[in-house]
Amino acid sequence: MAGTASERHPSQPHIEPGPVGHPAYTETLPCTPESAPATRRLIRQALGAWALDDLADDACLVAGEMVANACRHTRSPVIRVSVTRLDGTTVEIAVTDRSRVLPARKPAAPDALDGRGLLLVDAVAARWGADPQRWGKRVWAEVRAA
C-alpha cells in the first residue's frame, strides 16, 4: 500500500495529524543540532501545502532558533516540532521539550557569538511565548504574512 510509514522516503518527515481544529504538521526529532534541517523541511513542506511559501524564510529562522535553544539549554533527549496553520495568513511554530525551565531573554555582549536567538524570534515573530507543561514546556511563535 503506497504511502505507509514503512514505505515513505527517509527525507520525508513523518506527518502526524494535529488535534481537531487547525491543520498541523508534527515531527518528533532528537534534541541535537542535526535536527535543524529536518525542522526546516517540515516547515517548508507544510507551508507549501498551505500555499504560504512566502512565510518559509521567517518561519524557518524562528524554528531554527527555537531548536537551537532547546539543544543548548535542555537535556531533553527529543523535541517535538509542530507547524500549525492558524488562519489564511498566520502559522504557529512550536518546539516542545522535556525541560521545565522557561526561556528568558538575556542581553548579549556586543562581541558575543551567540545569545541573540530570542531577540531574533522577537523581531521576526508576530508574537511568541512559552507554556509550561507537567512534563516540560512548549515554546511557540506566530509568523504572519505581511
Side-chain angles (χ1 to χ4, degrees), residues 42-129:
L42 175 74
I43 289 169
R44 288 188 186 281
Q45 180 179 10
L47 296 177
W50 299 327
L52 292 171
D53 300 278
D54 292 348
L55 297 179
D57 290 341
D58 286 349
C60 286
L61 174 66
V62 166
E65 292 301 331
M66 292 193 308
V67 168
N69 281 347
C71 295
R72 187 175 296 120
H73 300 293
T74 75
R75 291 191 173 135
S76 183
V78 296
I79 55 174
R80 187 152 183 89
V81 177
S82 66
V83 55
T84 305
R85 183 177 181 175
L86 300 179
D87 61 33
T89 62
T90 308
V91 296
E92 178 190 77
I93 310 299
V95 175
T96 303
D97 62 55
R98 293 186 184 161
S99 170
R100 291 188 178 135
V101 178
L102 297 178
R105 282 187 302 198
K106 297 175 185 162
D111 58 345
L113 298 177
D114 60 4
R116 293 179 184 82
L118 290 178
L119 292 173
L120 284 171
V121 171
D122 198 42
V124 173
R127 64 189 196 118
W128 70 274

Side-chain angles (χ1 to χ4, degrees), residues 14-63:
H14 173 68
I15 307 302
E16 298 175 23
V20 175
H22 303 291
Y25 287 70
T26 303
E27 188 167 3
T28 300
L29 299 164
C31 189
T32 64
E34 291 77 22
S35 291
T39 297
R40 288 189 294 272
R41 276 192 304 274
L42 175 74
I43 289 169
R44 288 188 186 281
Q45 180 179 10
L47 296 177
W50 299 327
L52 292 171
D53 300 278
D54 292 348
L55 297 179
D57 290 341
D58 286 349
C60 286
L61 174 66
V62 166

